[in-house]
Amino acid sequence: MRKVQKRFDAHWGTQAPWRDRNGEEIPRFIEELAEKTPAYQYLSHKYGNQTDSITYYLNQPHRCKVFDYDLGQKDTLFSTMDSIRYMERFMHCGFVAIAPHTGEVKAWAGDINFQSWKYDKVLSKRQPGSTFKLFVYTEAMNQGLSPCDLRVDENIPWEVEENGEKKLWMPHNANGGATLDTMSLKMAFAQSVNTIAANIAHEVGIHQIATTAHRMGIQTKLEETPALSLGASDVSLLELVSAYGTVVNDGEAIQPILITRVENKDGKVIYQQEAEATQAIPYASAYLMQQMLRGGLTCPKGTSQALWRFRIFDKGTEFGGKTGTSSNHSDAWFVGISPNLVGGAWVGGEYRSIHFRTGELGQGSRTALPVFGYFMEKVLANPELAALYAKKFPSPKEKLDRSWDCNDYFPHYCDSDSILITLGDSLLFEAEHASPTED
């Protein structure tokens, strides 16, 4: 996050990053935040309607402590207004990791610094963007589709009713257009093609997708509109990662467990939490979605390919993952899966109006994916943890009637020190820079 912050500061320079949908600075943004502070309440009580006096003292420098990456907290001279401007320029992050077969939470970081920000970003709710496509394609598998089924990248309008008026809703890809190319569902999921995800949602049904999402672990009420297929309805990071764990756990959903047991001073167990698993989706759907998630690393232009540059493959561990970026790059997500551990990160501003202006800087593969990558490097560098989590995905436990082995050109295992992949005589990419624009 220190690196993300440096990019964010360089990106905005001296300009204010709080912007409306048109890119214009939001008027009185800082002033309205100041009006919610104890300092403002004290001055308002003291000076009543004398706004000049309130404004004067809010802009008077005084000793205060603010967040700093090097010091944790630094003692400085700021006015109340300046301290708000300073603190609102920070990018934030939440991260959680769960053991999918037990539901046990193994790591939880609510933000970059607890002293400065106590609002837990693991539990806060934001738009998940393309990470929500997991549920679109899972429902497609539930209804008998396969990863190798073909669809066309085309804009197909939906007729929707808004305030009693019929309108057309048209999905668009991150680059604004559609190629009209025919591709497999695995490729479309790996490349995060919006049009195909939306068209599949139209095919299988928005209500069915929402129902499947809830069965898999999403607890928040979802807005059942066409835009749900592209992640327009808010969810929390905790429930999203838990739902991804359902896929890894062969379709069995387990609610996250934070406390396994409580003992009294004599060592007697006075509370014990047992995992309660329910078969949320068929085993076949779960296995096929494991392969779809792995396609983000192995298919051409997969949005998770930046994960290859981390030192996490040298023990043969296999991974999959899905990126996500909400409108205006306000929310960046990545959920990574491995056979015994699922982890997810959210990165964004304290308010949705604070964000990068370009997908190149603000997309999930650039900001959220590295959080998972660095975390797994630490996990697998620990011999005791590596014994638990350096695993390969298993072969199918039962015979499946659908194909999934299509479009891969990346080996499921390769050396992460220097990865150059060729297809025929054409050099496709170097993994260090393999982060295509995604939505």
Side-chain angles (χ1 to χ4, degrees):
M1 286 305 297
R2 183 194 298 261
K3 294 178 181 178
V4 171
Q5 190 61 47
K6 286 181 177 178
R7 290 201 297 267
F8 189 75
D9 291 339
H11 178 64
W12 281 103
T14 59
Q15 298 180 68
W18 32 90
R19 303 279 166 152
D20 62 22
R21 292 182 177 273
N22 297 318
E24 300 295 328
E25 181 178 349
I26 299 174
R28 299 198 75 253
F29 180 82
I30 297 300
E31 288 77 7
E32 289 182 6
L33 291 179
E35 290 170 4
K36 300 174 183 177
T37 64
Y40 183 91
Q41 300 303 319
Y42 168 78
L43 292 171
S44 181
H45 182 267
K46 183 175 182 179
Y47 294 105
N49 294 326
Q50 300 177 42
T51 55
D52 289 347
S53 296
I54 296 173
T55 301
Y56 173 80
Y57 284 106
L58 285 176
N59 285 281
Q60 286 300 299
H62 58 273
R63 305 301 308 183
C64 64
K65 290 184 178 180
V66 294
F67 174 69
D68 179 82
Y69 268 108
D70 293 324
L71 302 175
Q73 294 280 321
K74 72 175 180 180
D75 195 329
T76 188
L77 195 65
F78 266 159
S79 70
T80 297
M81 301 301 290
D82 285 339
S83 67
I84 296 173
R85 291 187 187 95
Y86 173 84
M87 295 293 278
E88 290 305 327
R89 291 184 68 96
F90 278 96
M91 296 297 285
H92 296 265
C93 178
F95 178 83
V96 67
I98 299 174
H101 306 300
T102 64
E104 295 177 3
V105 174
K106 297 299 183 180
W108 182 311
D111 208 338
I112 56 176
N113 181 268
F114 178 74
Q115 286 180 292
S116 299
W117 296 281
K118 295 180 174 59
Y119 184 53
D120 193 338
K121 305 306 189 294
V122 172
L123 296 176
S124 63
K125 296 179 181 180
R126 302 283 285 255
Q127 289 186 349
S130 290
T131 57
F132 196 85
K133 291 174 184 173
L134 176 83
F135 309 111
V136 175
Y137 285 95
T138 298
E139 179 56 26
M141 300 302 112
N142 288 347
Q143 295 191 23
L145 276 68
S146 85
C148 296
D149 284 344
L150 302 177
R151 292 295 185 275
V152 178
D153 173 11
E154 59 182 338
N155 299 108
I156 300 178
W158 288 31
E159 187 177 89
V160 298
E161 192 169 302
E162 191 175 295
N163 299 322
E165 186 178 335
K166 290 186 177 181
K167 296 183 177 180
L168 291 180
W169 179 80
M170 181 84 77
H172 295 283
N173 293 321
N175 60 11
T179 64
L180 300 182
D181 289 342
T182 299
M183 63 181 72
S184 70
L185 298 190
K186 186 176 183 180
M187 183 82 80
F189 184 67
Q191 295 183 2
S192 206
V193 180
N194 286 344
T195 53
I196 292 181
N199 296 342
I200 288 292
H202 193 278
E203 188 175 327
V204 302
I206 286 292
H207 178 69
Q208 287 75 10
I209 291 167
T211 299
T212 292
H214 285 134
R215 286 175 177 165
M216 292 173 67
I218 299 298
Q219 296 183 336
T220 303
K221 183 179 179 181
L222 299 170
E223 296 182 20
E224 296 186 16
T225 65
L228 176 67
S229 62
L230 305 183
S233 191
D234 290 3
V235 301
S236 74
L237 179 63
L238 180 64
E239 57 190 339
L240 188 65
V241 172
S242 176
Y244 271 69
T246 298
V247 168
V248 180
N249 196 33
D250 295 339
E252 289 191 347
I254 303 176
Q255 289 298 315
I257 296 174
L258 282 165
I259 299 172
T260 54
R261 70 178 183 274
V262 178
E263 300 176 357
N264 66 12
K265 61 184 178 66
D266 301 317
K268 181 181 178 181
V269 176
I270 58 176
Y271 170 83
Q272 189 153 352
Q273 176 67 55
E274 300 291 343
E276 297 181 3
T278 58
Q279 193 71 39
I281 58 174
Y283 168 77
S285 296
Y287 185 83
L288 294 173
M289 287 309 300
Q290 290 174 23
Q291 307 312 309
M292 295 276 277
L293 285 164
R294 294 177 68 189
L297 279 79
T298 61
C299 287
K301 298 182 181 179
T303 63
S304 300
Q305 286 175 356
L307 203 61
W308 285 109
R309 70 183 176 87
F310 293 91
R311 292 179 174 273
I312 56 178
F313 299 94
D314 54 347
K315 294 180 175 64
T317 312
E318 292 178 335
F319 292 93
K322 186 71 192 77
T323 56
T325 312
S326 68
S327 299
N328 293 327
H329 328 295
S330 293
D331 307 283
W333 306 75
F334 180 75
V335 183
I337 68 166
S338 61
N340 285 352
L341 196 62
V342 178
W346 167 87
V347 174
E350 186 79 0
Y351 296 90
R352 297 178 202 242
S353 57
I354 301 172
H355 51 77
F356 285 102
R357 287 171 288 185
T358 68
E360 182 183 357
L361 292 173
Q363 65 190 20
S365 61
R366 192 76 194 276
T367 59
L369 180 150
V371 178
F372 177 81
Y374 287 125
F375 172 77
M376 289 307 305
E377 281 187 342
K378 294 286 188 180
V379 169
L380 297 177
N382 182 310
E384 292 184 12
L385 295 178
L388 296 172
Y389 301 120
K391 305 291 182 180
K392 293 179 179 290
F393 284 101
S395 300
K397 295 179 181 179
E398 58 187 54
K399 186 176 181 180
L400 302 180
D401 60 356
R402 284 167 279 176
S403 173
W404 63 85
D405 191 12
C406 48
N407 300 124
D408 294 337
Y409 68 85
F410 233 157
H412 289 306
Y413 165 78
C414 62
D415 178 13
S416 58
D417 287 339
S418 178
I419 305 167
L420 293 176
I421 303 301
T422 60
L423 184 60
D425 296 324
S426 301
L427 181 65
L428 294 179
F429 68 90
E430 182 173 358
E432 180 76 26
H433 305 291
S435 301
T437 299
E438 51 88 35
D439 192 16

